[in-house]
Structure formats: structure tokens, C-alpha cells
Amino acid sequence: MVSYGRLHAQGCPPNIDFETGTFAGWTSYTGNVTAGGGTHSFILSQSGGPVPDRQTMYTNASGVDPYGGFPIRCPNGSGNSIKLGNDMGGGEGEGISYEFTIPTNRNEYSIIYHYAVVFQDPNHLQHQQPRMEAVVTNVTDNTTIDCSSFSFFPYGSILPGFFESSVRGDDGTPIWCKNWSAVSINLDGLAGKTISLFFKTGDCTFRRHFGYAYIDVNTECSSEYVGAAYCKDDTAINLTAPYGYQDYTWYNNNFTQTLGKGQALHLDPPPPAGTLVAVELTPYSGYGCLDTLYLRLVDTLTIRANAGPDVAYCSTPVMIGSPTKPGVVYSWSPALGLSGTNVSNPMAAPQNTTNYILTTRHDGGGCVDVDNMVVHAAAIDNSMELTGKAAWCIGSGDSTILTVQPAFAIQWYRNNAPIAGANNTSYRALQSGTYHALLTDSRGCSVSTSNRPVIIERAPAGISYPVRYAIVGLPIDLKARPIGDTAIWRPANSLSNAQTFTPVFTGTSNQLYTIRLASAIGCVTIDTQLVKTIERADIYVPTAFSPNNDGRNDQLKPLLAGIIELRFFRVYNRWGQLLYQTQAEEKGWDGRFNGTMQATQTVVWVAEGLGVDGKVYVRKGSSVLVR
């Protein structure tokens, strides 16, 4: 289709349409909103540039608004649109403005801007509601251009052109949306005047509910759109008026004949070059004024196919082609690996390097052109081999060596962190972790190998367990350290099960056991357990101890023979004052009371325990604390 403003720019101020993909020429503002004195006010100040999530640029974006479902990029053929504000609430206000001067020789001049709006409607008072404002000002004469300036805010009933979203706010408030619409700014007769565009969005003044908008400006700035060009060999013409108005009516140049209704007009066959066609644009009620644009049809259109530069495809599909031009029909071949064959810039993901051919033509049938480009598919072998074992014990003589195929660049990783200096085809793993390699070819394509877990352990040193006392003929539970995956007791004499961590001993004589504790990957630890048999259960306490940290007799604690539960062990001084007590058999008194080391003295102790025979044993005695 022949479309306004996207084939030939007509003297617009630089980047007023955001087509550089930046905010160059625009001034950004942030601040907040207030409702003092029953009046809504924006309190904004210049922010020195766009603020993340307050002024957002969308370049060739294909997403849709989460509430309104309409595209986040204006459907007017633009490559770039912006979002002003966000859906976070917080009483925020934001704005952007652009100021320019109309050329002195341009008495016929107009601009079209597009907007889409999303508001929560918390049903506050009017001056407290979320809103969007658009203000167009003749700065030279200090006057507002009313037809193109207005304020949106939800209050009481659906606004013209709005619809209620199927999504509700977190607190159940309705959300109103307005799809992309257009406003014409008629600036005829204002040659040499300075004009300001100022767009603002704001949340509700209670800081809980949001309001935001999408904005774009047409590339073409003229009352007469000489860009309505067609090909000499076209068999028909499709004219498309600017997007976003409520109604369109097409006329011949003197308005004596209505040519059609709706945004598009089909002319078959094409009229003679130089024909003037008018389209009357009717905005949504209350948001703009009736305007008329003129199209002078010329048969000078040329279209060049642009398949884009050759690119490399790694693991993520790449975009080929160029931005869409309205009125151009696209056809790609072969279709293999493309997301679509009839779009201007499909995504390509071929398994092998492929030469793609793009054929373009005007929608009237003429201006056929062909271009081609190559997508170089990465041919990186990302396989990884393991030599040795993926799980082994230090000291066993085993190892883990990981190897990949040669590549332009190699980087090894452990637990997703790069390993310094690990850039060769082989890497010897010396620590437990998950390993992979990133392989890069000469074109910059990178692929990762799969992850390889490696387990490398060191066997704990063996220890001797405290002596266990068992009453002759009565069972007693033994317990190995919970390390490794298997336990084997040797010899198996007098044990209920020699291949468990917790066997039961029932014997009549002393026995020294070795316990082989082995992990699943082969780490082996040898512990020992001495079991002494006694005729009866008892509690023994040394008659003296010397807490001087020499490693011998530093604590006063009970020795349990055939006692399976220590109910208490208490120590008193000669005045009957309790100095220490415990129920843990492995703990003892270190000679301190309230943190102070006690002097040499005789202390009295009492202990009570439950024997393996089910009897309760109480023992009393005295010991000497020696300094």
C-alpha cells in the first residue's frame, strides 16, 4: 500500500518521530502528581535524559500491552515507538517534550501523532485519577492549539474509544485501555512559528494506581502528501490514510465525488500521474478536530529489495532483511529455517549455511526487485569426552580429563564461573563441581557443551571410638560414624549384622572391631571400636583431676560401664553449692564456676544412669581438684 510518512519524509524536524531509536531532540521529565486544592497538578523537572521504566524506547518490538492486548509499537509502519510511565503506581509523573520551528516558507504544515493509553480506574475524585495529557503550544504567540490538546482520565463512564481490559488490578480495580489512535496538528498559516509538543502521564494522587501511554509521531510533516507514489508498471493503487482515526472519507480533488470510506482506498486502474486525492479524517469524539489531507499521486516510485548483510547464525535465531515498508510485498526463498517467507525481516535458523533470496514488489504489482544474503550456520562440534572417572577419591590414582574439539576460542567453566587460564582443548578437573566449555568460532558464534558433574573426595582420617562397656550376655547398640555409604565391621563376632552402621553387640568377652567405611566413589576410612564386657553396669568417676590443659585428666566426667542413659552428673563444693551438672556422657567439668577457675579443693559428685539391664544406678563420691 502507499502509506503516509514512511516512504518519503517531508521536512519533519529531526528525530521527532524517534526513528533514530533514541530520544535525541526530546526533553525528558520525571516527578510526581498532586491534587492540592482540588486541582490536579504535574510536578515535573527535567531528568537529563530518559529514565529507565519511565521513558522506554521500543525498537522493532513485536510484543503487546499486557492489559490492552494492542501492539507496543505503533501500527503506522514506525520502527520505533515509546512508552511513557509504567504500571507500578507510586504517584509518579513523567513527560517528554519537543520544540521546533516551522520553516518560514511552509504555510501548509501539519503533524500527526499517535497514542495508546492504559489507566486503572480506582473511582477517586476527578482531580485524583490517573491520566494522560497532551499539550500542543504555539510558543511564539503563547497560545494552546486546542484541537490537538486534551487530557484523558477515567471517571464514572467509559471514555470515547476506550474498552475495559479483561485483566484487573491487584486490588480489583478495572483497567481501561485505548488502542492506538491518531491526532492531526494543523499548523497551516504558522510559518516561522515555534511549536511545542508536551506529553505527560501520571498515576493516581494516592500513589496506588497507575496510568501510562504509548506515543509515536509520523515521519511525514505536510498538508499535501506528495509521498503517495506508485510504480509505472502498477496495475492498481492502494492508498492508506494515517492510522488511528475513527472515520475516513475519500474525495476527488474538488470534493464533487466520494471515492470511498475507511482507512484504505483501492484504485484500479491507477489514475493519471499528478491526480490529487483528498481524505477527510474524523478523530474520536472530543480528541482532535476534523482535518483533511491531500495526496498527489505520482508514478515515480522505485522499490529496492534489501535482504540485509550476510550474518552468522549461532544457537539463537537471527533477524534478516530490513524494516517493513508499507505497500511492499515480500517473498523469501528457500523457506527452510525461516520464521516466515512473506515478511520483511524473518528470523532465520538454518541447520546449514544458506543463501536466501528476497523478492519484493509493490502491492500494485510493479517495481519487482531481487536481493540475496547468506546466513552462515555455525558448525561447531560441542561434544565433550571424559577420560578417566567422573567420580573418584584422592589418593586412588584416578583422574578426570575433559576434552572438546578444537575451536577458535575455548573457555572452561566450573559451576558457571570461568576458570582462569583454562583455554585448551583438554582440562584436568581437580575439584568437585559441574564443568562445561564455551566454544567460539572465527565468526564469533559461541556454543556450550553439556554440563558434566565431577565428584572428587578425600577420605576422612580414621579414629578410635570411646570404649563401650557391655554387660555379659546383654545386647548393646554400637554406632559407626555416618560417613560413606557402606559400613563393614570386622570381625563379625557377637554382632547382629556386620554390614550396618548400627549393629547390636551381644557377647561374653572383650572385642576390638575395625569398621571399614566406604563412599560410593571408593573413599575408604578405617575406624576402630573396643567393646569391653563387664559383669554388671556401673558408673566410675576419677578420684582426682587437674584442669591445666595438658591434655590429661583436664575434666571431671563419669565413665559409663553398661549405662545406656546418663540421667545426670552433678558436682558440689563442700558447702553444698552446685558447681556443675550435665546429662551428656561425653562432657565433663573443667574446674570453672561462673567462668572463674576454682582453687584446689575436694568436691562431691553424684551420678544417676540407666543400665542396659533396665536398672537405675546411682553413685556418689568425691574427687580432688588439683592445681
Side-chain angles (χ1 to χ4, degrees):
M1 293 184 181
V2 177
S3 176
Y4 301 100
R6 297 302 164 190
L7 296 182
H8 302 280
Q10 297 295 319
C12 271
N15 200 45
I16 194 172
D17 51 9
F18 306 110
E19 288 310 289
T20 66
T22 71
F23 285 85
W26 288 85
T27 302
S28 299
Y29 304 82
T30 55
N32 50 29
V33 292
T34 66
T39 301
H40 180 277
S41 298
F42 282 93
I43 310 298
L44 303 178
S45 58
Q46 294 186 19
S47 57
V51 175
D53 207 32
R54 305 286 289 277
Q55 290 98 3
T56 305
M57 178 71 64
Y58 292 111
T59 299
N60 293 323
S62 58
V64 298
D65 182 82
Y67 303 101
F70 49 75
I72 60 177
R73 181 163 57 104
C74 183
N76 64 348
S78 170
N80 303 278
S81 302
I82 70 159
K83 179 182 177 183
L84 195 59
N86 54 57
D87 62 353
M88 301 299 291
E92 295 178 339
E94 44 275 314
I96 54 167
S97 70
Y98 191 101
E99 195 168 286
F100 65 96
T101 300
I102 301 172
T104 55
N105 61 346
R106 296 291 298 277
N107 276 314
E108 290 185 343
Y109 199 86
S110 66
I111 288 178
I112 295 174
Y113 69 82
H114 301 259
Y115 65 92
V117 183
V118 177
F119 294 130
Q120 274 187 294
D121 181 10
N123 199 29
H124 299 325
L125 298 177
Q126 291 188 33
H127 60 283
Q128 299 166 338
Q129 292 279 77
R131 67 192 56 226
M132 168 198 168
E133 288 188 1
V135 181
V136 183
T137 306
N138 176 348
V139 178
T140 303
D141 299 334
N142 194 27
T143 58
T144 300
I145 300 175
D146 293 326
C147 272
S148 307
S149 303
F150 48 82
S151 177
F152 283 127
F153 56 87
Y155 186 71
S157 62
I158 297 293
L159 296 168
F162 275 74
F163 61 91
E164 186 173 339
S165 171
S166 60
V167 180
R168 289 230 163 196
D170 293 339
D171 58 358
T173 56
I175 297 176
W176 290 1
C177 308
K178 192 174 197 294
N179 203 339
W180 284 98
S181 302
V183 173
S184 301
I185 308 174
N186 191 329
L187 303 173
D188 291 349
L190 298 178
K193 304 287 187 179
T194 298
I195 306 298
S196 168
L197 307 182
F198 204 149
F199 301 100
K200 309 172 189 178
T201 55
D203 303 326
C204 82
T205 58
F206 286 100
R207 307 175 64 85
R208 293 184 58 193
H209 306 98
F210 62 79
Y212 64 87
Y214 300 89
I215 297 168
D216 196 13
V217 181
N218 267 19
T219 297
E220 198 165 353
C221 302
S222 172
S223 290
E224 181 180 327
Y225 281 80
V226 296
Y230 61 96
C231 302
K232 287 184 180 295
D233 54 347
D234 274 341
T235 59
I237 299 177
N238 297 302
L239 304 178
T240 303
Y243 177 85
Y245 291 88
Q246 187 170 28
D247 291 306
Y248 305 83
T249 306
W250 298 83
Y251 299 95
N252 62 356
N253 64 335
N254 57 11
F255 291 85
T256 60
Q257 181 183 359
T258 300
L259 303 179
K261 300 282 288 185
Q263 185 185 0
L265 177 66
H266 181 75
L267 298 176
D268 184 5
T275 298
L276 193 66
V277 176
V279 58
E280 187 178 77
L281 309 175
T282 304
Y284 285 92
S285 177
Y287 303 107
C289 296
L290 189 70
D291 201 0
T292 301
L293 303 177
Y294 297 89
L295 297 84
R296 190 172 301 279
L297 308 182
V298 292
D299 60 357
T300 59
L301 180 63
T302 59
I303 295 176
R304 292 287 178 263
N306 183 4
D310 295 350
V311 295
Y313 161 60
C314 304
S315 56
T316 303
V318 293
M319 181 179 289
I320 62 176
S322 57
T324 302
K325 291 184 177 181
V328 178
V329 179
Y330 301 86
S331 177
W332 290 87
S333 66
L336 191 65
L338 295 183
S339 61
T341 59
N342 300 117
V343 295
S344 65
N345 45 8
M347 303 300 293
Q351 292 185 356
N352 302 302
T353 296
T354 304
N355 179 52
Y356 287 106
I357 300 172
L358 170 65
T359 302
T360 60
R361 62 177 176 83
H362 194 225
D363 62 4
C367 294
V368 176
D369 196 37
V370 176
D371 192 19
N372 72 295
M373 59 83 64
V374 177
V375 177
H376 297 276
I380 304 176
D381 185 346
N382 68 337
S383 61
M384 181 168 59
E385 295 183 359
L386 182 147
T387 303
K389 294 183 177 180
W392 48 278
C393 189
I394 294 173
S396 65
D398 293 318
S399 65
T400 301
I401 299 176
L402 304 172
T403 304
V404 295
Q405 296 301 311
F408 182 77
I410 299 172
Q411 176 62 61
W412 288 92
Y413 290 79
R414 175 178 172 269
N415 297 337
N416 293 321
I419 304 171
N423 308 115
N424 297 320
T425 55
S426 293
Y427 180 77
R428 181 187 292 271
L430 300 176
Q431 293 177 278
S432 293
T434 300
Y435 291 84
H436 78 275
L438 181 68
L439 312 177
T440 305
D441 68 10
S442 59
R443 293 190 179 89
C445 282
S446 297
V447 296
S448 291
T449 66
S450 58
N451 290 324
R452 171 70 74 165
V454 174
I455 301 174
I456 302 173
E457 295 181 352
R458 183 184 298 275
I463 63 173
S464 294
Y465 302 162
V467 176
R468 295 298 308 275
Y469 292 88
I471 297 176
V472 174
L474 293 180
I476 184 174
D477 295 330
L478 303 181
K479 185 176 182 181
R481 282 193 291 170
I483 60 174
D485 297 279
T486 62
I488 300 178
W489 297 67
R490 290 291 182 267
N493 300 348
S494 305
L495 297 179
S496 61
N497 184 349
Q499 299 185 23
T500 180
F501 283 87
T502 55
V504 176
F505 173 88
T506 307
T508 59
S509 61
N510 297 346
Q511 182 65 59
L512 176 65
Y513 292 102
T514 62
I515 308 117
R516 185 180 188 274
L517 303 170
S519 70
I521 66 171
C523 286
V524 176
T525 297
I526 303 296
D527 288 348
T528 59
Q529 172 71 74
L530 175 61
V531 180
K532 290 185 176 182
T533 56
I534 56 178
E535 293 298 327
R536 59 184 179 83
D538 211 339
I539 300 174
Y540 304 96
V541 177
T543 57
F545 75 109
S546 55
N548 55 6
N549 295 320
D550 64 354
R552 295 181 300 172
N553 298 319
D554 286 329
Q555 291 185 336
L556 181 67
K557 60 182 178 181
L559 176 63
L560 306 180
I563 301 297
I564 59 175
E565 178 189 349
L566 178 65
R567 292 183 172 176
F568 63 81
F569 172 66
R570 298 170 182 153
V571 181
Y572 301 86
N573 62 18
R574 59 182 178 174
W575 296 284
Q577 184 179 22
L578 179 65
L579 301 177
Y580 175 77
Q581 66 176 340
T582 185
Q583 292 178 290
E585 62 179 278
E586 68 275 7
K587 293 183 179 181
W589 183 44
D590 63 359
R592 297 176 185 272
F593 179 63
N594 291 334
T596 301
M597 184 63 71
Q598 301 299 293
T600 298
Q601 60 182 292
T602 298
V603 295
V604 176
W605 56 264
V606 60
E608 179 179 303
L610 178 65
V612 294
D613 53 4
K615 297 179 181 179
V616 176
Y617 292 82
V618 179
R619 297 291 183 266
K620 300 178 181 180
S622 63
S623 297
V624 178
L625 189 163
V626 179
R627 288 292 178 200

